Amino acid sequence: MLQHSYRYPAPRETVDFVSNGMRQMRGALTPAQDKRIAGLGIAMPFELWNWADTAGAPRDVMDEWRHRDIRADIQAQCDFPVYLQNDATSACGAELVFGQAGAARDFVYFYIGAFAGGGIVLNGRLFGGPTGNAGALGSMPVPGPDGKPTQLIDVASIAMLEKALNARGVEASHLWTSPEDWGEIGPELDDWIASASRALAYAIVAASSIIDFEAAVIDGWMPKA
C-alpha cells in the first residue's frame, strides 16, 4: 500500500502521486499478474472547490478542481477502466459489502474523515442517486455551537478537531498519519467528540424522519476508542 498525506488536495500533485504509484506497484508484478488488473477506482469528495475554507486551502488551488477531470487524466495513462465515485459513498459501499451492518437492508451511513460525509443503503443496495451524490450528509443542517443552523461538515469533521488543536499551537498531523492511535490529545478531543455526537444524533433523527432506516452506522478515519 502507498500512502501520501497532504495539507490540502491539489490536482497536479494528486495525479502525479497516482502515476508514480502505478508505475511502482505494476513494476513489482509479473506480466501474468499485471494482466489481471481489472481497473482502478478513485474515491474523492465531489465539488472540492466548495470546501476551500473548510479545508484551510488556497481558493485558487481548490478552484483548479472545477476545471479538471481527474478520471480522464488518469484514464489516459491506463489500459484498464478507471472509475470515479464520491468518497463517502464508496465507504458506504464498503460497509455494505465488508462491514458489520449485519442483516440491515436499509441504513444511513456516516463517515467521519477530514470532512464528514455519508451514504445511503436502500433494499440492500447502495443508493447514489442520479448524480452519485445522494447521502451527502455533510451538508445536512444541524444546530451549531451558538444554536444557529450550520452544516454537519462544520462540526463533525476531523478538520475541525485539527483546527482547534492548531489554535492551541499543537501540531496535529498525526491525526492523518496515525488513525489507529492518536495518543493523548487533551480537552479539544473531548469537546470535539461532544459537539460531533450532538450533531450526529440530530442528523440521524432528521434522516430517519424521511426514511425509516433500520440502523445508523458511524465509521471514520479515527481510533476505535
Side-chain angles (χ1 to χ4, degrees):
M1 182 181 73
L2 301 177
Q3 177 180 317
H4 173 64
S5 298
Y6 44 76
R7 288 292 305 163
Y8 50 82
R12 181 177 301 174
E13 285 79 356
T14 301
V15 172
D16 287 346
F17 170 72
V18 175
S19 302
N20 295 332
M22 282 195 298
R23 281 195 296 271
Q24 180 178 338
M25 298 176 77
R26 297 183 74 178
L29 301 177
T30 66
Q33 290 172 328
D34 191 73
K35 288 181 180 179
R36 294 178 60 190
I37 297 176
L40 183 148
I42 304 168
M44 61 177 284
F46 288 171
E47 298 187 0
L48 275 167
W49 53 89
N50 287 327
W51 307 112
D53 293 340
T54 304
R59 284 186 171 273
D60 58 334
V61 173
M62 296 299 281
D63 201 55
E64 291 177 21
W65 289 100
R66 190 191 302 269
H67 311 292
R68 293 290 293 266
D69 183 346
I70 191 170
R71 193 205 67 81
D73 289 346
I74 294 174
Q75 181 66 82
Q77 306 178 39
C78 301
D79 52 1
F80 43 74
V82 175
Y83 305 93
L84 175 68
Q85 190 174 58
N86 176 271
D87 59 334
T89 303
S90 295
C92 183
E95 176 66 28
L96 174 64
V97 177
F98 304 109
Q100 302 178 35
R105 290 179 54 79
D106 301 279
F107 61 87
V108 59
Y109 173 89
F110 295 87
Y111 187 84
I112 309 304
F115 301 151
I120 293 172
V121 169
L122 297 176
N123 298 318
R125 302 188 66 176
L126 185 65
F127 181 76
T131 66
N133 218 25
L137 299 168
S139 57
M140 180 173 281
V142 298
D146 55 2
K148 296 180 180 179
T150 187
Q151 297 184 95
L152 182 67
I153 194 172
D154 293 324
V155 181
S157 298
I158 295 176
M160 298 299 102
L161 172 59
E162 180 186 38
K163 185 176 181 180
L165 290 170
N166 289 340
R168 187 162 62 92
V170 176
E171 205 282 323
S173 62
H174 66 287
L175 296 177
W176 315 116
T177 58
S178 181
E180 299 86 4
D181 183 11
W182 283 351
E184 293 297 324
I185 291 182
E188 286 80 8
L189 177 59
D190 295 331
D191 292 343
W192 177 75
I193 289 175
S195 298
S197 298
R198 285 192 296 268
L200 284 164
Y202 190 97
I204 290 168
V205 172
S208 298
S209 71
I210 300 172
I211 297 174
D212 51 345
F213 293 110
E214 299 172 76
V217 177
I218 301 174
D219 194 4
W221 182 267
M222 52 193 172
K224 290 182 179 180

